[in-house]
Amino acid sequence: MKLQVSLKNTFVETTSLLFVLLFTYAAITKLLDFENFQVQLGQSPLLSSYAIWISYMVIAIELLISLMLMIPKFRTAGLYASLSLMSMFSSYIFIMLHFSSFVPCSCGGILEKMSWNVHLIFNLFFVGLALASLLMLPSSKTTNGNQTNRKKRWFYISSNIIFSIIIVIVLFLSSEKIMHYKNPFIRRFPKHPIVQDTIIDLKYNSYYFAGSDREKIYLGNYSNPLHITAIGKKTKERESIKIIFDSKKILFSSVKIRIRDSSFYLMDGTVPAVFTGSKSDWKANRQLTGMPYFTLAEPLNPTKIILRSSNGRNAEHSIGIFDETRSSKIKYNSRLLQKQIDGIFDTDGTLLFDEKANRTVYTYYYRNQYIVIDSNGNLEYSANTIDTTTKAKIKVAHLKNNTERKLSAPALTVNAYTAVCENLLFVNSKVSGRFESDKLWEQSFIIDVYDLNTKSYLMSFSIYKIDNKKMSSFFVTSDYLYAIMGTNLGIYRLRDLLKNEINSVKSKEK
């Protein structure tokens, strides 16, 4: 009997020592690379929103438990605390492996060499040690001299484990809600949602994206407005197309081409003029009559254009719908763009048409906001990007007796280039978030992804620079992302993580 008691005491002391070594090592490792530890928590799909205070709390708890285990008087409490902490770690990994949208990089130290599945087994092993040690502790005497009921100890142990798991689940659910809908400017970078496929040398830096169909993407050319380059999505073969058009001595100055289904559109808001034709012969043989001046435009169908014009009060930006079939062809909605400073620079942005949902997305350059507009020019909703710039940081100078306005200082661009695919909005952000390295921003362009159906932030990823050139635009299809950098066209294949998000949107539409 004494031998059995001695063996139990030895087991409990050995287990306590192992936990002291584990927690002390883990705490010191985190302290030595604390900044990286916070970054890892910030990238965690479960605890992103609580990365700051959890980073301090975990280290403090690990050191406190180690101290408790070394003092015999507090060893029982230390073992219960060890069981709770290891249960939390185990449930954290289990939830991440089975319910998270992605799995981040592993933690530091020796444990970094483990896969997440091996890490889970490692944690469960220590849960088992804590459980066995608690069951081997000598029963304490109550005031009436009876031994503590073994069932009561099992109740304490099971309650400890269940409560620990519930804490992690609550943190996970609340963190997910915060990250998607009330993001504290913490980006999530899953592992390689895109992978580089091909780089094509375009020879010139004057190309832009004109549109796509099932088989090809089309590039317009600022220097040669009637010339289009078509690139096969699968073959990557290039085809040169010349638009047949009699300009009739029209003084074009800023021509843009747009491809929609079987039609193409030749547009210039400075004339103003919009011509359209069929891709079957590439002849611009019809002009939309009565077109007003515009600075941005996107065709909705062969007779309908959504446009941005500077015809508002004090020449402020306004968005409207041009419909050739109506007697009153243009209808503006002055309430769509919200003035903050001057109504021109502060409302500048990108205009995109989502063909699948038949709606338009306007994303502001200088503030963290985008608006979604229906096919009749009415506001569906407005939403925010994840950065914290709510008001445009620009300075406007009024020249020539207030007849001319210019930016008097460099503006802080928040959202630069954008793309829409299957109800997903892709935004090239220019503002660094929390837990992000300067090196990442020096080497790449950051793309944030939003779900237009749920009005939520999904994830972010980086596009690494080609020949250290700036990106001038990008375009997204259901299989590929295309980016123009200098004279190069980078083609990136979407991996399952992003394609699943696109497929989930498709399934919702069915």
Side-chain angles (χ1 to χ4, degrees):
M1 187 69 177
K2 289 183 178 180
L3 177 61
Q4 187 179 8
V5 172
S6 178
L7 287 174
K8 287 183 178 180
N9 290 337
T10 302
F11 182 85
V12 171
E13 290 178 1
T14 303
T15 298
S16 300
L17 179 60
L18 286 174
F19 272 116
V20 170
L21 292 174
L22 174 65
F23 291 146
T24 304
Y25 167 78
I28 291 174
T29 301
K30 295 178 180 75
L31 282 171
L32 291 176
D33 197 8
F34 185 71
E35 184 177 351
N36 186 49
F37 173 54
Q38 279 195 331
V39 169
Q40 288 171 344
L41 284 178
Q43 294 304 313
S44 164
L46 270 69
L47 305 175
S48 307
S49 304
Y50 308 114
I52 296 294
W53 63 266
I54 284 181
S55 62
Y56 291 101
M57 183 174 289
V58 167
I59 295 173
I61 289 175
E62 287 176 335
L63 293 175
L64 178 61
I65 293 175
S66 298
L67 182 62
M68 292 170 67
L69 290 170
M70 288 187 290
I71 302 173
K73 182 180 178 180
F74 300 107
R75 184 164 293 157
T76 300
L79 285 171
Y80 273 109
S82 301
L83 176 64
S84 178
L85 190 60
M86 296 310 296
S87 297
M88 288 182 185
F89 289 163
S90 300
S91 55
Y92 165 78
I93 296 175
F94 182 83
I95 292 172
M96 187 164 57
L97 289 173
H98 295 87
F99 300 99
S100 172
S101 57
F102 69 96
V103 179
C105 298
S106 185
C107 54
I110 295 174
L111 303 182
E112 188 174 8
K113 307 302 179 183
M114 298 182 185
S115 68
W116 282 109
N117 284 308
V118 173
H119 202 163
L120 178 59
I121 294 171
F122 177 85
N123 286 356
L124 290 174
F125 171 74
F126 274 89
V127 169
L129 286 180
L131 184 67
S133 296
L134 286 169
L135 293 174
M136 289 182 185
L137 287 172
S139 299
S140 59
K141 296 284 186 177
T142 59
T143 55
N144 60 7
N146 296 321
Q147 290 189 337
T148 303
N149 192 301
R150 191 175 184 85
K151 290 183 179 180
K152 184 175 283 189
R153 183 170 293 181
W154 269 110
F155 173 77
Y156 291 151
I157 291 172
S158 57
S159 299
N160 180 296
I161 294 173
I162 292 170
F163 182 70
S164 301
I165 294 173
I166 289 174
I167 288 176
V168 176
I169 292 174
V170 170
L171 286 174
F172 166 59
L173 294 176
S174 60
S175 180
E176 284 293 281
K177 185 176 181 179
I178 291 171
M179 285 298 296
H180 289 304
Y181 299 101
K182 300 178 181 179
N183 191 290
F185 207 3
I186 300 174
R187 288 190 171 92
R188 286 182 170 176
F189 290 95
K191 281 187 177 179
H192 314 301
I194 64 170
V195 61
Q196 190 177 88
D197 185 283
T198 310
I199 297 176
I200 297 176
D201 186 1
L202 299 173
K203 305 298 183 183
Y204 304 100
N205 63 357
S206 53
Y207 286 96
Y208 64 90
F209 293 104
S212 70
D213 55 28
R214 291 184 178 181
E215 298 178 352
K216 303 172 183 176
I217 65 160
Y218 297 91
L219 303 179
N221 192 323
Y222 291 115
S223 300
N224 192 351
L226 300 181
H227 175 266
I228 295 176
T229 298
I231 301 176
K233 290 182 178 179
K234 294 183 178 179
T235 64
K236 310 299 188 295
E237 292 181 358
R238 281 186 276 185
E239 176 189 359
S240 182
I241 299 170
K242 180 64 181 288
I243 292 176
I244 301 171
F245 175 61
D246 181 7
S247 66
K248 300 176 183 179
K249 298 182 180 180
I250 298 175
L251 298 177
F252 290 108
S253 64
S254 181
V255 175
K256 264 201 168 184
I257 305 296
R258 282 289 181 264
I259 310 295
R260 291 280 188 272
D261 297 323
S262 60
S263 303
F264 72 91
Y265 301 81
L266 186 152
M267 307 182 297
D268 190 338
T270 63
V271 175
V274 174
F275 291 84
T276 183
S278 173
K279 284 163 46 185
S280 61
D281 56 13
W282 293 102
K283 291 182 180 179
N285 50 23
R286 192 176 81 84
Q287 181 178 6
L288 275 66
T289 58
M291 181 64 60
Y293 289 95
F294 58 87
T295 52
L296 292 175
E298 288 291 332
L300 305 183
N301 60 47
T303 62
K304 205 171 182 181
I305 307 288
I306 187 167
L307 54 85
R308 187 190 72 184
S309 178
S310 298
N311 73 332
R313 183 184 301 177
N314 298 321
E316 295 169 3
H317 282 148
S318 183
I319 290 178
I321 298 286
F322 171 86
D323 191 340
E324 192 183 33
T325 62
R326 294 186 312 205
S327 56
S328 180
K329 295 185 177 182
I330 181 70
K331 180 182 178 182
Y332 289 102
N333 187 341
S334 60
R335 292 174 294 179
L336 289 175
L337 298 182
Q338 297 298 311
K339 175 182 176 181
Q340 290 184 333
I341 299 172
D342 69 327
I344 297 180
F345 293 109
D346 65 333
T347 58
D348 203 2
T350 58
L351 186 71
L352 295 172
F353 178 58
D354 177 3
E355 295 180 69
K356 297 291 183 181
N358 193 30
R359 60 189 181 185
T360 303
V361 182
Y362 189 89
T363 309
Y364 290 100
Y365 281 140
Y366 306 120
R367 69 179 93 160
N368 65 342
Q369 189 178 24
Y370 63 89
I371 61 174
V372 178
I373 309 164
D374 67 18
S375 58
N376 295 316
N378 299 314
L379 178 69
E380 282 193 16
Y381 68 86
S382 63
N384 296 106
T385 53
I386 61 172
D387 60 87
T388 56
T389 306
T390 57
K391 186 173 181 179
K393 296 180 180 179
I394 60 174
K395 292 183 179 180
V396 181
H398 297 265
L399 308 174
K400 299 179 180 179
N401 295 323
N402 289 330
T403 60
E404 184 177 320
R405 282 176 275 191
K406 288 186 177 182
L407 289 175
S408 61
L412 174 64
T413 301
V414 176
N415 306 307
Y417 310 110
T418 57
V420 169
C421 177
E422 302 287 357
N423 281 20
L424 296 185
L425 173 64
F426 297 77
V427 179
N428 170 219
S429 176
K430 294 293 185 180
V431 183
S432 175
R434 300 167 71 181
F435 313 119
E436 294 171 14
S437 67
D438 293 337
K439 188 176 182 180
L440 175 68
W441 282 83
E442 291 171 2
Q443 297 177 344
S444 62
F445 306 100
I446 304 301
I447 308 295
D448 299 325
V449 186
Y450 302 87
D451 188 332
L452 295 175
N453 281 345
T454 61
K455 310 173 190 177
S456 62
Y457 165 73
L458 294 178
M459 69 185 78
S460 301
F461 58 88
S462 57
I463 303 176
Y464 283 90
K465 295 179 180 179
I466 301 174
D467 297 334
N468 206 33
K469 299 293 184 181
K470 291 184 178 181
M471 182 170 67
S472 57
S473 60
F474 72 100
F475 191 83
V476 182
T477 68
S478 58
D479 295 304
Y480 293 94
L481 182 147
Y482 303 83
I484 296 176
M485 301 183 208
T487 60
N488 294 310
L489 173 66
I491 303 177
Y492 305 84
R493 183 164 35 87
L494 304 187
R495 300 189 72 180
D496 288 345
L497 185 63
L498 265 175
K499 294 177 78 171
N500 288 342
E501 293 291 347
I502 292 174
N503 290 333
S504 69
V505 172
K506 286 182 179 178
S507 65
K508 292 173 187 175
E509 294 175 348
K510 292 181 180 178

